[in-house]
Amino acid sequence: MTQAKKAKKQASGKDIAFNIFLYALCILILIIIAYPLYFIIIASFSNPSEVANGNVWFWPSQFTVDGYKELFRHGDIWMGYWNTILYTLVGTLIGLVVNISAAYSLSRKDLVGRKLITFFFIFTMFFNGGLIPTYFTIRDFHLYDTFWVMVLPFSVVVYNIIVARTFFDSSLPKELLDAAQIDGCGNLRFFFSIALPLSKAVIAVIALYIAVAQWNSYFNALVYIRSENLKPLQLVVRNILITNQSLVGAGDGLAAQEAMRLANLMKYAVIIITTVPIMCVYPFVQKYFSQGVMIGAIKG
């Protein structure tokens, strides 16, 4: 066997060993990340006492769906689901319009006052008026306790604008705009016909960011929403859990034990019903996610 073949064989053996190590490490990381999610699922179908005693590891113990039955017994939860879906859809659409448009404008080198406008945007990431001035502003604009308070006032997210602006800077060369202008293409046509179709990756990423934030939002609803028919899912389940905890404290004997059992079951069930829907969205944008984040993270 020649020296070159021996070296190639040794290199091949090292590659195999490295691949085995890499796959083992990836599997370990997957288990560390996925097992807590799996545990919450099986715990939601298990007796709370079995969970507390550490008897639940890989499958449910004393299978039960009482937590889900008790949770869905509250009619408000369906109204909360509907409201949250509407807030997420409308909020994501509005957020994409304002953030992508602002990012593209700030990426244009010929924008007058570009640096000053960028400074004003970034300034708001570190300083804001605070909760009370924001409350008065929303009240004076007649947005308080309306549908639009959940989707309009907080639709501009500077971080999303920076990510999208960097994407436009690095992915849309000036020569492309020059060529389009020579052919008679205006700014709006270039944005809608060329810039947006070439920016599917970053649009998908920004949409996912906005949708997740909108789906999980509860603080804005807690402060600015009073009508029961406008409350999102997160606020509805929070009120349900608080109510059940108060019932636990008010009861005694077997009634208190049963209320405690249902309250513990509902905690896990709430996690499942509030996270699974938004997690189902990720596979549809996963192919764009890595590309959009990496390109949008390039600074220069």
Side-chain angles (χ1 to χ4, degrees), residues 53 69 155 158 287:
N53 293 331
K69 287 181 179 179
S155 58
V158 179
K287 63 179 179 179

Side-chain angles (χ1 to χ4, degrees), residues 27-250:
I27 292 173
L28 178 62
I29 295 175
L30 176 63
I31 292 174
I32 294 174
I33 295 174
Y35 180 73
L37 300 176
Y38 174 71
F39 177 80
I40 292 173
I41 294 174
I42 60 177
S44 67
F45 294 103
S46 302
N47 191 313
S49 61
E50 293 293 302
V51 177
N53 293 331
N55 297 329
V56 177
W57 288 91
F58 300 108
W59 49 80
S61 178
Q62 299 182 15
F63 185 88
T64 178
V65 292
D66 290 345
Y68 292 95
K69 287 181 179 179
E70 182 67 18
L71 193 60
F72 288 117
R73 186 177 63 82
H74 297 267
D76 292 347
I77 200 167
W78 301 111
M79 178 191 64
Y81 249 121
W82 174 247
N83 289 337
T84 298
I85 291 173
L86 283 180
Y87 292 146
T88 302
L89 293 176
V90 178
T92 301
L93 179 61
I94 294 176
L96 282 176
V97 170
V98 297
N99 289 290
I100 296 298
S101 300
Y104 173 74
S105 300
L106 293 175
S107 70
R108 291 287 299 268
K109 301 296 190 297
D110 56 345
L111 176 66
V112 178
R114 175 173 176 259
K115 292 184 178 180
L116 184 61
I117 297 173
T118 302
F119 169 78
F120 284 136
F121 272 106
I122 296 177
F123 184 84
T124 62
M125 295 181 68
F126 304 99
F127 304 96
N128 60 68
L131 179 60
I132 295 176
T134 304
Y135 175 88
F136 286 136
T137 301
I138 288 176
R139 186 197 62 182
D140 293 342
F141 275 94
H142 305 290
L143 293 174
Y144 182 79
D145 199 26
T146 66
F147 172 88
W148 299 107
V149 75
M150 293 294 294
V151 297
L152 276 181
F154 310 99
S155 58
V156 177
V157 181
V158 179
Y159 175 79
N160 294 339
I161 293 176
I162 293 174
V163 171
R165 185 202 64 179
T166 308
F167 181 92
F168 287 128
D169 277 337
S170 59
S171 301
L172 298 178
K174 185 177 181 300
E175 293 75 15
L176 186 62
L177 176 61
D178 293 339
Q181 288 177 337
I182 291 174
D183 290 337
C185 181
N187 288 323
L188 285 178
R189 185 178 178 186
F190 179 82
F191 176 66
F192 287 106
S193 300
I194 299 177
L196 289 184
L198 294 176
S199 307
K200 292 180 181 178
V202 75
I203 291 174
V205 171
I206 299 301
L208 183 62
Y209 285 163
I210 298 173
V212 171
Q214 192 70 54
W215 182 273
N216 293 329
S217 176
Y218 81 95
F219 182 75
N220 291 336
L222 187 64
V223 176
Y224 304 116
I225 293 292
R226 285 294 173 266
S227 301
E228 293 294 329
N229 61 333
L230 292 175
K231 290 183 177 179
L233 176 65
Q234 310 296 341
L235 202 58
V236 170
V237 295
R238 173 183 177 273
N239 294 339
I240 292 174
L241 291 178
I242 291 176
T243 302
N244 277 270
Q245 288 296 333
S246 63
L247 292 177
V248 171

